[in-house]
Every structure is written in structure tokens, then in C-alpha cells.
Amino acid sequence: PAGVAGGGGSQYTLVAVTLKHFDANSLEDSDGFTRHTVDVNVSRQLLTDYYWPAFRAPIREAGALGVMCSYNAVNGLPACASPVMKAAREAWGFQGYVTSDTDSVADVWRAHRYKRTAEEASCVALREGGTDVDSGNTYYHSLLSGVRSGRCSISDVDRALFNTFRVRFKLGLFDPKAGNPYWQLGEADIGTAASRALNRHAAAASLVLLQNPTSRRDGGPILPLAPGKRIAVLGPHANATRALIQVDTGKVCASGGFECVTSPLAALADRNPDAGTAYAEGCDVILMGRQGFSAALAAAEAAEVVVLGLGGTSCGSWGAGRWGKRDSAPRHLHCRPANGTNGMQW
């Protein structure tokens, strides 16, 4: 399709999309386990029906050329050392590369104790897991000694190199720039009307409405919201911009900031210009102060509809174990509006 595997008559691939995180990567930090240490026990039926479709469809239907294996183990096998991805190459027609998460090959021996040394972990990830790239230093320091000791072979290394270089050739990285139309793309091709429309469609299609309760005021469903209601937008993420963007994304606006990202407050105020849209932060994601509670409660009591923007933060919860104590999610419970008001939360 255009925009992923080429288009417009070009022989080149425009974007090598990397899907992550494979496989059964559903836990960050809970009950004494982290994403580095958890071993997920899951049935083959659940893998097939729930986890794999999100990888299988982009590979088969959109030509995705990358997969990132996760930190966790699945049914006793660390994801980056599991033969499942090797089997998927044939079953799904995958012709791309597999990369580890940030040195998740090291977790094969350090966190999961599946192997005793970095050398053994490197070879089992390369040979059995089909992990072509180690996004870390374990391969760099230990793979060569693993080959020399016979735990894996130079043909295993060649296969990994073939998988990665094939993607680079598809991208045209070794051909003259003049012959590749994608090298001619510039700033004017970023954020076009067509791209924005596609982003909006993708966002709308990915949302799941878990419930739509009856309004206490008029007896009808709360959603969709009709313009003309008094709306209070509350919570630490009510006016968020950067917090809506995944932490690894980097710069998303031309200036390098996040002013081009529309916050929930800005979006609601734009759609509800006449009735008034109030805003109060109420509480912070990390700090534990209550000084904003009274303003938030007053805004909620004066509103017909309350929209809450709650959740964690990349600064506190991303990379469990890297940042120390995580943000205190229960504090958000105190930000919820009083009974009797209509409310939405995301």
C-alpha cells in the first residue's frame, strides 16, 4: 500500500514499519513482576485469536518489514529466544527483520535465567529466536565468542545480516538518491490534509467505547455530546499535549515542540464555542498536593458534563525500574466529580 510498502509506481519501500512488542506483552509492573521478569502463561488459542492478529494483519496486508521482540517470556521461553517468530516468517510471509527491545537479549540470561551467560543468550536469540538485531550491547560483546565456541554459526549471522540488508535494499539506501522519489520528499509533504485525515480516521477506528451510561439530567445517553452544554474538562491530562504522544516518538511539530498536538480541552472548546468550556487541573500526575481540588469540584458542580483526563505519565511509569518509584495512580481517584454530574473518563 502507498505510504508503507511503496506506491505511486515506485520500486522502493517508503517506510519499514516495525511492529511491537512481540509477544503477549501486556504487563509493565505489577505484583512483584516487571516486563523484564514476567513469564506469561497463555494458551495457544489466546495467542492465535488475541495477540497474533495485530502482527499478522500488518505483515500480510500492509507489508510491515520489522518486528520487535519483547522483554517478557511466554510459556517459559523469553520472547527474543522463542522460535515462534521464525515460524511466523513462513506462515505469514514475513520478509523483514526482527529486532530486540532495548537489549532484551540480556534479559534472556539476566532476568529470566533461561541461559547462564551472555554468550549463550546471544546464540539462542539469534539461532532459535531469529532475532536479527540486538538493540543493545549483548551481541556486540558476546556473539562472536558464541560463534567461536560453536553455540551458533556464522551462517546464523549471515542469515540475520541478509534479513536486515534486504530491508535496506528495499528502502533504496544503497541506490543513487536521484532515482528514488522518496528522497525528494520535504517539509511540505509533512502534515498534509490527506495525512491528517488518515490520522483522524485511524484514531477514530481504534477507539473502543466500553460504556455509554444514561444521563442523570435528561435520561438520554451521555454520548455523543451535543454542542451547547456546559462542559468542565478536569484532570492532569485535560490540557495535555506532550503526554498524549508516546515517549519514544521524538519531535512531532515543526518547531520541535508539541504545540501542533491538540489537547482534549482545546478540542472540546473548539466544538463547544457558545456554551462555555471550563478547565481545572485538579491534581498533578506525580505531585501529591490537593490545592487544586476545590477549583475542580467547583467547575464540576457548575457543569452539565464533566470530562476527565486521567492516567499515568511517561516520566513516572515508562520503563518500570528505571525511574524509581512510579507515580501514584490512586491519587487520581480524588479528582473524580461528585455524584450527580455526567462524566467521561479516558
Side-chain angles (χ1 to χ4, degrees), residues 133-176:
V133 177
D134 173 30
S135 179
N137 294 318
T138 303
Y139 277 7
Y140 179 80
H141 291 301
S142 306
L143 183 56
L144 180 57
S145 59
V147 172
R148 287 173 173 169
S149 67
R151 289 186 169 87
C152 51
S153 68
I154 198 66
S155 63
D156 294 321
V157 177
D158 288 342
R159 184 190 65 249
L161 289 172
F162 179 87
N163 292 335
T164 58
F165 275 97
R166 177 167 53 185
V167 173
R168 295 186 181 189
F169 278 112
K170 285 177 177 289
L171 292 167
L173 300 183
F174 301 107
D175 294 343

Side-chain angles (χ1 to χ4, degrees), residues 50-64:
Y50 182 78
Y51 286 105
W52 290 349
F55 294 88
R56 182 174 60 236
I59 289 171
R60 285 181 171 176
E61 301 172 23

